Amino acid sequence: SYLTTKEKPVYPFKTYAQFDYDPMNVILNSFSKIRETSQGAALQFIFLPSGDYFHKRYQYAVKEIEKGVKTKDAIDLPESFVGEMGKGLKEFFGPAEKKNGDKATATTVDNEAIAKIQQKIGSTIVATNIRLIVSAMDSPSAERIIREIESSFNQFDLTTSNSLTWKRQKGGDLQKLFRDFSFRNYDGDQMLPLNLRELSTLIHFNNTNLSPTPQLKQTQSVTAPAPSDMKEDGTFLGVN
């Protein structure tokens, strides 16, 4: 499965500032229930730097709302090229809007929506793919593992804004997911725009002991000298 949002990604979900504990420990704890043999799971993060692409789009939505455009129309911003084409065709073949009356019926500005969008663009936004793959000896066990890991992301639900949800893949889409996972391919159809606050809430370096998850081990980086009998000639690979 891959991670997406229930509402438009222009709205943020619950981040570390709204927790009184480390939410990553809850995610890690769901992994600790996996057997050492015959079972496995992996959570993959793929990033694509996007510059100010999302900031410009979301800032545009804010300006539209401030003009009196309905919020649902202002935040209808397709996140992919296919989505852009679909929206363009819909606007082209759709019913013509009334020329008069739109400005007259525009009443109050949705300041709550503006505040949420501004919170989203408060830090750099990157395009992200987040995939979850599990394995087990039988289908019920695999279903249990993936369900427990997926449910650990319910803690990020923010009822007044947005929440995270997993989208299961089947058939050919599942095979493509396996391939993309194996080769670490970025897929625009699975894009999840996350600002750095949201991203660092989901994954970060753990600077405390993993007390809630003693089954998980942390690997420290180590250095070692080159072998004394290593040859001095051969294919040059680079300078270390």
Side-chain angles (χ1 to χ4, degrees):
S1 57
Y2 68 88
L3 194 63
T4 185
T5 53
K6 290 184 179 179
E7 305 297 334
K8 293 288 186 179
V10 67
Y11 291 143
F13 54 84
K14 191 175 181 180
T15 59
Y16 58 83
Q18 298 158 298
F19 285 94
D20 56 2
Y21 61 90
D22 188 349
M24 195 174 74
N25 280 336
V26 178
I27 299 175
L28 294 177
N29 187 55
S30 65
F31 277 83
S32 68
K33 301 175 183 179
I34 300 173
R35 295 178 182 176
E36 186 174 351
T37 59
S38 73
Q39 293 182 352
L43 190 61
Q44 183 184 71
F45 289 75
I46 303 292
F47 308 114
L48 179 68
S50 306
D52 59 354
Y53 173 77
F54 292 105
H55 280 77
K56 288 181 177 179
R57 291 168 64 81
Y58 295 166
Q59 190 62 49
Y60 172 79
V62 170
K63 292 180 180 179
E64 289 295 292
I65 296 174
E66 290 175 340
K67 292 178 182 178
V69 177
K70 292 181 179 180
T71 301
K72 67 175 183 178
D73 295 329
I75 66 174
D76 185 17
L77 303 171
E79 305 295 346
S80 65
F81 176 73
V82 175
E84 290 278 9
M85 290 185 60
K87 183 180 179 182
L89 291 173
K90 181 178 179 181
E91 292 176 349
F92 182 78
F93 292 104
E97 296 181 356
K98 295 181 180 179
K99 294 183 179 180
N100 299 321
D102 286 348
K103 293 183 179 179
T105 56
T107 55
T108 58
V109 175
D110 192 347
N111 292 315
E112 183 179 353
I114 293 176
K116 289 186 288 187
I117 298 173
Q118 289 177 337
Q119 182 182 350
K120 179 78 172 190
I121 62 179
S123 61
T124 302
I125 300 176
V126 295
T128 312
N129 285 169
I130 302 179
R131 305 183 180 109
L132 175 61
I133 302 290
V134 305
S135 63
M137 296 296 291
D138 54 77
S139 181
S141 297
E143 175 63 27
R144 177 185 58 80
I145 294 171
I146 195 171
R147 187 171 59 249
E148 289 181 351
I149 297 176
E150 288 177 345
S151 64
S152 68
F153 284 77
N154 293 338
Q155 61 183 321
F156 302 108
D157 290 3
L158 193 59
T159 55
T160 58
S161 184
N162 211 340
S163 56
L164 297 173
T165 184
W166 290 93
K167 187 172 182 180
R168 298 284 185 92
Q169 299 293 79
K170 297 180 180 180
D173 291 335
L174 181 59
Q175 295 299 320
K176 184 179 183 302
L177 182 71
F178 287 151
R179 180 178 177 80
D180 289 341
F181 181 91
S182 300
F183 292 96
R184 300 179 178 89
N185 293 332
Y186 174 81
D187 187 346
D189 293 334
Q190 300 175 7
M191 180 173 59
L192 176 61
L194 298 178
N195 65 29
L196 295 186
R197 291 193 186 95
E198 295 171 321
L199 187 58
S200 59
T201 300
L202 297 178
I203 182 171
H204 52 268
F205 290 109
N206 195 303
N207 57 4
T208 59
N209 293 329
L210 298 173
S211 53
T213 53
Q215 300 91 334
L216 298 173
K217 308 296 182 183
Q218 287 179 299
T219 301
Q220 305 295 332
S221 61
V222 296
T223 59
S228 58
D229 58 346
M230 186 174 67
K231 295 182 179 181
E232 296 184 359
D233 57 348
T235 304
F236 181 74
L237 297 178
V239 177
N240 187 2

